[in-house]
Amino acid sequence: MTDLSDLPPARPGRVLAAWPALPLLAALALWAYAVRHTDVSRLDDFGLVTALHPAFWVGLAVLTTGFWCTVRVRSRPQGWSLAYVLGLLVMERATQAVLYPTPLYAWAWKHDAVIDHLLTAGRLQTAEQIGDMAVYDQWPGFFAAQAALVRLLGVDSAATYMAWWPLVSSLLLLLPLLLIYRTFTEDRRLIWTAVWLFHVANWIGQDYFSPQSVAYALHLGVLAVVLRRYGRAGGRRTAVWTALLTVLVTAIVISHQLTPGMLIVSLLALCLTRRYRGWVPPVTVVVIFLAWCLTAALPFLSAAMPDMIRSVGDIGANVETGYGATPTGTGAIATSWAARLLSGSVLLLALVGVVRQRVLRHRALPLVLVTAAPLPMFAASSYGSEMIFRVLLFMLPGAAFLAAAALLPKVRTLAADAAAREARARPRPVTGRRRRRLLAGRYGTWAPLPALLAVTWAFVPSYAGKDRINYFPPQEVALVHRLFEQAPEGSLVVAANRNYPLAYDSYGTIDHYWFLDDDRRHVDEILRNPAATLARDMAGVEPPARAYFLLTQGQLANSEMNGQLDEAQLDRIRRSVAASPRFERVARNDAGVLYALVPADGEGGASR
């Protein structure tokens, strides 16, 4: 028989210290249950929002509440805050990878095609060889690195792993974000709340398989190096950090067109402060950027420069979405407004943080300047009607920090900590005024939780509300794959738009024509007489090459939800092509249909 008196005393402190694991595990269990009971076979205009099992939303609420209860206690180890942020990233960025059997985003499939072409060609090519796609060979950093990774992993293509890229790229941002925030404060509540807000407000979607995702992480890495190391030690240490800076900047410049410009304006903004007035970082970026633009990227810039110059200063046109990018329908409009309200709320909270926490205007002034620095880029270019989204993306690190300060009752900076320690050494009577402050502090501890819950929930419709456009079912992938398997070299593929998987497959040998990119008058002509107009547009392909007409589920979703042609109009085009003797059906399944143009008499035969 065991003598209980011999047992060591219980240690309730350990149990209390481990309680944050309970909400975290409960949230992940709810998430796992939700993804197992979510059907994505028939998405509506609300995307993943209406398809998700209700347990997912409950799990997000449990996770957010557990995070706030954990992070508000300063003495609790930071490992718990990190664990909750990782749980958030899993629920935010891994859900789609688990639910969808194929990778999302037509642009991700396009980048996979660029990598495949680079592996096949074995070298960079010019516009004379591959046309407009040569722009990717003029900024090859990301694609060359991915080609090397494909070879290293021994996989067939980057499509094997690119569905998980949003999670990977979000994890890459953690270290530079923490380094930047720790430059200004050791307040764990402020740091981790800022990290949380950054990820729930980063709905813009540039974390997918793209050069921007890596260039953005490198951008934050450069800012972390400059903020933490420049303006402090000199001599040999500065030379070491300058060498690291040069490597990071070179990787950015050879990978992405826009990020170097955003980095330059951020570093110039830092020069407005006395501490970071050194010109080594911005000059380094400008020299490397100009060197690349005047050599490898010169062909593209020479052709694009007139349009770029015309767009300078035209802010209205630069922020206008334009035809084919206007949300249409209840779901598209609702999710679009959710994204706007999410970004607007975070920016408003950031402004409140600057006004309310006076210490930030002095001690965290560099971060305030970095937040505002991208705003002039509105006047520089439209960047394909995406400049407004890119400006929001580059404002977000600083905005999240300032917004987190607005949610906290009182924030501390490194410079203010010393004064606080001195004040604590002197006894202070509990006066009526101080008692009111203590009560307000207790209230302020819980008041931010509803706001944190709201922005965390709002992320889902903002980020995944357009999954009807971005998801391509396996049948659609199989249909397009069959097209490129049988299309002879020199063939032409005609489609409504480029929103389908493998759209750029074999772009070195097969041409494409997306008629919704044409002038609206020609689109109207196609609507009036679809088969005859398309047959005329597709004529002239020399045998044995063929001309194909492809219409898929992804094209329909993109056209309908972005205000181009609706389902009835596209179906009229399909029925006209199907009834025309000039076209023969090659393949069909639940996700689309493929036709080939039959050569007219006198045009010669085409192999079938």
Side-chain angles (χ1 to χ4, degrees):
M1 183 178 296
T2 303
D3 185 357
L4 296 181
S5 63
D6 292 337
L7 295 178
R11 297 184 180 180
R14 291 186 178 180
V15 177
L16 292 176
W19 80 261
L22 298 179
L24 177 61
L25 294 176
L28 292 177
L30 287 167
W31 171 76
Y33 179 85
V35 296
R36 290 192 62 183
H37 294 82
T38 295
D39 180 16
V40 295
S41 60
R42 294 188 178 276
L43 296 175
D44 60 18
D45 286 356
F46 289 89
L48 196 57
V49 178
T50 51
L52 280 168
H53 191 276
F56 180 88
W57 303 97
V58 178
L60 265 185
V62 172
L63 186 77
T64 306
T65 305
F67 167 77
W68 184 248
C69 294
T70 301
V71 77
R72 70 185 182 88
V73 180
R74 296 175 180 175
S75 59
R76 187 158 287 129
Q78 294 192 67
W80 287 116
S81 299
L82 174 61
Y84 272 94
V85 169
L86 293 177
L88 175 71
L89 293 181
V90 168
M91 295 184 70
E92 280 187 344
R93 314 297 200 205
T95 298
Q96 292 166 315
V98 174
L99 286 176
Y100 298 123
T102 58
L104 296 178
Y105 303 111
W107 286 97
W109 288 92
K110 179 179 182 178
H111 296 155
D112 179 47
V114 174
I115 295 166
D116 183 68
H117 179 79
L118 188 60
L119 288 168
T120 303
R123 58 187 176 85
L124 303 178
Q125 294 182 308
T126 63
E128 288 78 13
Q129 297 168 301
I130 54 176
D132 293 341
M133 294 297 289
V135 64
Y136 293 97
D137 284 31
Q138 293 165 27
W139 276 274
F142 172 81
F143 304 106
Q146 293 297 328
L149 182 60
V150 168
R151 288 275 176 85
L152 181 65
L153 296 176
V155 296
D156 294 333
S157 69
T160 306
Y161 57 82
M162 68 185 186
W164 293 93
W165 196 257
L167 177 61
V168 173
S169 61
S170 298
L171 291 172
L172 290 176
L173 300 177
L174 278 178
L175 178 59
L177 278 176
L178 290 173
L179 291 175
I180 290 172
Y181 294 157
R182 286 180 61 85
T183 304
F184 301 101
T185 182
E186 288 183 351
D187 189 333
R188 297 177 180 180
R189 302 170 307 158
L190 179 55
I191 292 172
W192 289 104
T193 304
V195 171
W196 184 280
L197 283 176
F198 173 86
H199 285 293
V200 299
N202 188 14
W203 61 268
I204 299 168
Q206 294 305 308
D207 55 356
Y208 76 105
F209 188 70
S210 64
Q212 174 75 92
S213 63
V214 176
Y216 186 63
L218 295 173
H219 167 87
L220 294 184
V222 170
L223 291 181
V225 170
V226 173
L227 290 170
R228 293 185 67 85
R229 294 304 173 186
Y230 280 83
R232 293 187 175 185
R236 186 179 304 173
R237 288 187 177 181
T238 301
V240 171
W241 292 112
T242 301
L244 175 59
L245 195 73
T246 302
V247 173
L248 295 176
V249 170
T250 302
I252 293 172
V253 167
I254 67 174
S255 298
H256 198 246
Q257 304 98 322
L258 180 65
T259 305
M262 291 292 190
L263 183 57
I264 289 170
V265 297
S266 297
L267 295 178
L268 289 176
L270 286 177
C271 291
L272 298 177
T273 63
R274 181 179 302 176
R275 181 174 183 179
Y276 299 102
R277 199 158 289 169
W279 293 97
V280 172
V283 169
T284 300
V285 181
V286 169
V287 169
I288 297 174
F289 187 38
L290 286 178
W292 188 260
C293 289
L294 295 175
T295 54
L298 186 59
F300 170 79
L301 292 176
S302 299
M305 191 59 67
D307 290 336
M308 295 171 65
I309 293 175
R310 280 194 295 269
S311 67
V312 173
D314 192 357
I315 299 178
N318 290 346
V319 300
E320 186 179 3
T321 55
Y323 171 71
T326 304
T328 304
T330 304
I333 293 174
T335 55
S336 176
W337 273 104
R340 296 177 188 179
L341 291 174
L342 175 56
S343 293
S345 299
V346 172
L347 293 177
L348 181 60
L349 281 173
L351 181 60
V352 171
V354 173
V355 174
R356 180 169 173 264
Q357 307 283 3
R358 290 182 297 175
V359 67
L360 295 178
R361 298 200 291 272
H362 305 287
R363 305 302 182 183
L365 178 60
L367 201 54
V368 176
L369 293 174
V370 168
T371 304
L375 288 173
M377 297 299 286
F378 280 129
S381 171
S382 68
Y383 201 70
S385 300
E386 289 189 359
M387 183 57 74
I388 186 171
F389 304 114
R390 305 306 174 97
V391 168
L392 286 172
L393 178 66
F394 283 90
M395 292 178 67
L396 191 53
F401 182 85
L402 301 172
L407 294 178
L408 296 172
K410 185 178 180 180
V411 301
R412 302 178 306 163
T413 62
L414 291 173
D417 279 345
R421 284 192 293 268
E422 292 180 5
R424 284 196 298 269
R426 299 189 297 270
R428 298 175 60 189
V430 182
T431 62
R433 183 178 181 182
R434 190 181 177 202
R435 186 177 293 107
R436 287 192 297 272
R437 288 182 178 178
L438 292 173
L439 291 174
R442 292 176 183 175
Y443 171 76
T445 299
W446 292 103
L449 180 57
L452 204 62
L453 277 170
V455 294
T456 303
W457 273 331
F459 169 83
V460 180
S462 304
Y463 184 76
K466 292 187 177 181
D467 278 8
R468 184 187 164 211
I469 295 176
N470 298 322
Y471 168 56
F472 310 112
Q475 300 96 317
E476 188 169 356
V477 176
L479 180 68
V480 181
H481 186 68
R482 180 174 176 180
L483 161 63
F484 287 107
E485 274 187 335
Q486 72 174 49
E489 184 174 337
S491 294
L492 171 67
V493 177
V494 176
N497 54 53
R498 65 196 76 195
N499 192 62
Y500 54 93
L502 301 165
Y504 290 84
D505 200 46
S506 305
Y507 62 80
T509 58
I510 294 179
D511 293 327
H512 299 82
Y513 166 52
W514 299 288
F515 61 81
L516 288 181
D517 288 349
D518 251 349
D519 185 87
R520 180 67 197 192
R521 288 175 296 180
H522 187 65
V523 176
D524 291 338
E525 185 180 355
I526 293 175
L527 284 174
R528 285 193 297 269
N529 196 354
T533 306
L534 287 172
R536 185 189 66 206
D537 292 341
M538 298 166 66
V541 177
E542 296 292 333
R546 301 198 71 183
Y548 297 90
F549 176 71
L550 176 70
L551 194 60
T552 65
Q553 176 178 309
Q555 297 173 53
L556 168 62
N558 185 77
S559 175
E560 194 172 33
M561 292 182 66
N562 283 324
Q564 294 178 314
L565 301 182
D566 58 28
E567 183 176 5
Q569 291 171 315
L570 286 175
D571 189 58
R572 180 187 175 196
I573 294 174
R574 181 195 60 77
R575 286 186 283 106
S576 175
V577 170
S580 172
R582 293 298 313 275
F583 291 89
E584 64 171 347
R585 195 173 72 190
V586 176
R588 181 178 183 177
N589 60 27
D590 293 339
V593 62
L594 174 65
Y595 294 93
L597 181 68
V598 177
D601 294 340
E603 292 182 358
S607 60
R608 300 187 182 182

